[in-house]
Amino acid sequence: MMYPVRMVRLALLAVAALFVLLTPAAAHSLEEVDQELRDKEQYFQPVDSEAPGFTLQDADGRVIGLEALCGKVVVLNFVYTNCPDVCPLHAERIADIQKMINQTPMKEMVEFVTVTTDPKHDAGLVLRDYGEAHGLDPRNWVFLTSAPDKPEDTTRKIAEAYGLKFTEGDGGMQMHGIVTHVIDQDGRLRARFHGLRFEPVNLVLFVNALTNRTQKPHPHPQPGFWDKLKGSLPW
């Protein structure tokens, strides 16, 4: 039986992510992971600054702010649902990462947050349907928009505070880049993964280091199974 390449690749990534979480010897410190990604992941940008705050609402009108997520690692991205190309791909990449994380003990420690930059259109059922259409699990994922009485550019300004500009064009289209932001349990922005070509396992490894709260490096005299597995993956 032939399987789609994406399914096979995701299965391998899930096995790798599960292994790194369940093997004590693989619990790399944040310092180690940071250095490894600087060396090997060209789309990784380390950051250490206070994450810009926000107070928005979900599809049911419940108010959710960044402060309410304190104590969890937050994986944050910005999209708009009418985007015809890169936003759906970004949503699917986030869904892949979420599936990997949710097969590990990190599931209870990580929250995925998507913010729309088109609040005039993206509300209610539009928000609910988007997650389901792209495979996102609502148990630890939320799609946020601004309240109806807020200026239409409220969420675009939030994106800009994170260093990502959405510029309105013709026909409701927006010109923008693609960035996945990682915020630690203390509300500090710790990393940006740029574009869609970064390796998902690398983001999972970074999140794992944050959830472990390990800060001091430890020696690795021989390559472990995790390193061998990464080296054997077909990409």
Side-chain angles (χ1 to χ4, degrees):
M1 180 182 294
M2 296 297 292
Y3 294 93
V5 172
R6 184 171 180 269
M7 290 180 61
V8 174
R9 182 173 182 272
L10 180 56
L12 289 171
L13 290 172
V15 170
L18 185 61
F19 181 86
V20 75
L21 265 294
L22 297 181
T23 307
H28 293 61
S29 73
L30 183 59
E31 182 177 323
E32 285 177 311
V33 172
D34 182 281
Q35 186 57 55
E36 180 178 348
L37 295 187
R38 286 172 190 259
D39 294 340
K40 297 182 179 180
E41 177 56 78
Q42 62 177 312
Y43 302 106
F44 166 72
Q45 177 191 3
V47 188
D48 188 6
S49 62
E50 184 176 353
F54 54 79
T55 300
L56 299 168
Q57 64 181 37
D58 66 8
D60 297 314
R62 293 175 299 186
V63 175
I64 298 177
L66 182 60
E67 288 185 0
L69 302 175
C70 185
K72 290 193 174 186
V73 174
V74 175
V75 179
L76 170 70
N77 72 311
F78 295 86
V79 303
Y80 68 103
T81 65
N82 278 333
C83 177
D85 41 43
V86 292
C87 288
L89 295 175
H90 196 190
E92 290 170 8
R93 172 56 57 90
I94 297 297
D96 287 350
I97 293 167
Q98 184 190 36
K99 287 183 178 71
M100 293 162 62
I101 284 177
N102 284 3
Q103 293 184 64
T104 75
M106 286 192 294
K107 179 179 178 179
E108 305 301 324
M109 299 179 254
V110 180
E111 185 75 17
F112 293 83
V113 177
T114 299
V115 176
T116 176
T117 58
D118 184 13
K120 183 177 180 180
H121 176 266
D122 296 343
L125 289 175
V126 175
L127 298 180
R128 291 193 194 94
D129 292 346
Y130 196 77
E132 183 176 351
H134 295 287
L136 289 150
D137 187 342
R139 287 176 293 180
N140 62 338
W141 172 81
V142 64
F143 200 173
L144 299 180
T145 188
S146 58
D149 60 344
K150 298 295 183 182
E152 189 178 335
D153 64 350
T154 294
T155 53
R156 290 195 293 275
K157 286 184 176 178
I158 294 171
E160 193 166 351
Y162 277 87
L164 186 60
K165 193 171 182 62
F166 283 72
T167 304
E168 289 188 281
D170 297 332
M173 297 297 101
Q174 299 179 22
M175 299 293 293
H176 64 95
I178 293 290
V179 181
T180 305
H181 311 268
V182 182
I183 301 168
D184 71 14
Q185 299 95 321
D186 299 320
R188 295 191 67 78
L189 180 62
R190 301 306 300 266
R192 296 185 180 99
F193 286 78
H194 293 269
L196 295 173
R197 297 181 66 182
F198 68 86
E199 181 50 62
V201 167
N202 286 334
L203 191 148
V204 173
L205 187 63
F206 188 81
V207 169
N208 180 42
L210 290 175
T211 60
N212 285 334
R213 289 288 194 170
T214 51
Q215 302 295 327
K216 294 181 180 179
H218 50 82
H220 294 288
Q222 298 294 331
F225 179 81
W226 165 243
D227 301 294
K228 294 177 182 177
L229 180 59
K230 285 197 299 181
S232 69
L233 293 176
W235 49 75

